[in-house]
Amino acid sequence: MTERFAHVSGSSALDALNTVDWRLDPERSSEQLTGIGEVLDWCVEAGMLGPDEVATLRGDARDHPRLAAEAVSAFRAARDSAYGAMVEHDENAIADFQTHQREAFSRACPHPADGGRWTWLDDALTLRTPTHRLVRALTDLAQSDDVLRLHRCEDDVCGWVFLDTSPRRNRRWCAANDCGDRNRARAYYKRKSAQRD
Ligand SMILES: [Zn+2]
């Protein structure tokens, strides 16, 4: 299956924060999760929903378009509060994200998976389950050492984030063949025109 979404952050949960393009430029900013179909497709790619679950939720979305639209808004709101909280350390966003966390953790219980490591078990599968799973996964990330490697692409407007796992911790761009090339080209032309002047 060819993937619709980019998975370049090094964390399936964190990839959700990269479903807005050009986030730092309000005029250019564009939403990838435009409907419930996109949200569910993203969750499948990220491994947050299994095939049976997504089939059930696609049916629910067809039967309840209003609930589906609300679920899309909730998913995007949770994602954006996580961005403000984890990337920008904004106090209002942290408070918003905590509200999403209280909701997400109230809809599941930890349970031993096959007698081994405990995992979260949802009380029920609903159109809000994708949001709850995303918030719990982002909370796991925020509590792990990985979050210390969280870095925002150094492009002026890109806004994508990733875990910098490079040995020297010097990864600057979300995807080297995208923002990296564009910025290197810009620096090159700037140098060239400076030489001419
Ligand atoms: Zn970038």
Side-chain angles (χ1 to χ4, degrees), residues 52-178:
D52 293 347
E53 292 176 322
V54 80
T56 301
L57 293 183
R58 282 194 214 286
D60 289 353
R62 268 193 301 276
D63 295 344
H64 307 284
R66 192 177 54 82
L67 291 182
E70 287 170 5
V72 174
S73 299
F75 192 91
R76 298 199 300 218
R79 171 199 65 190
D80 293 339
S81 71
Y83 190 95
M86 294 172 67
V87 182
E88 298 173 323
H89 309 289
D90 175 82
E91 287 299 331
N92 292 327
I94 291 171
D96 280 349
F97 190 51
Q98 287 166 339
T99 304
H100 286 287
Q101 286 170 318
R102 274 190 280 274
E103 155 98 11
F105 284 98
S106 74
R107 301 307 165 93
C109 273
H111 191 82
D114 300 325
R117 188 165 165 257
W118 289 47
T119 55
W120 289 96
L121 206 63
D122 298 285
D123 296 346
L125 179 69
T126 75
L127 286 164
R128 294 301 179 97
T129 302
T131 304
H132 298 153
R133 288 185 183 174
L134 173 66
V135 169
R136 292 198 299 265
L138 285 168
T139 305
D140 275 352
L141 174 65
Q143 290 181 298
S144 78
D145 287 346
D146 287 346
V147 81
L148 305 175
R149 293 176 178 268
L150 180 57
H151 191 81
R152 175 153 74 184
C153 177
E154 293 180 20
D155 182 83
D156 288 343
V157 293
C158 168
W160 279 20
V161 291
F162 54 87
L163 301 177
D164 180 4
T165 53
S166 65
R168 295 170 58 207
R169 297 209 187 192
N170 57 355
R171 177 174 163 190
R172 300 181 61 193
W173 317 110
C174 60
N177 56 359
D178 191 347

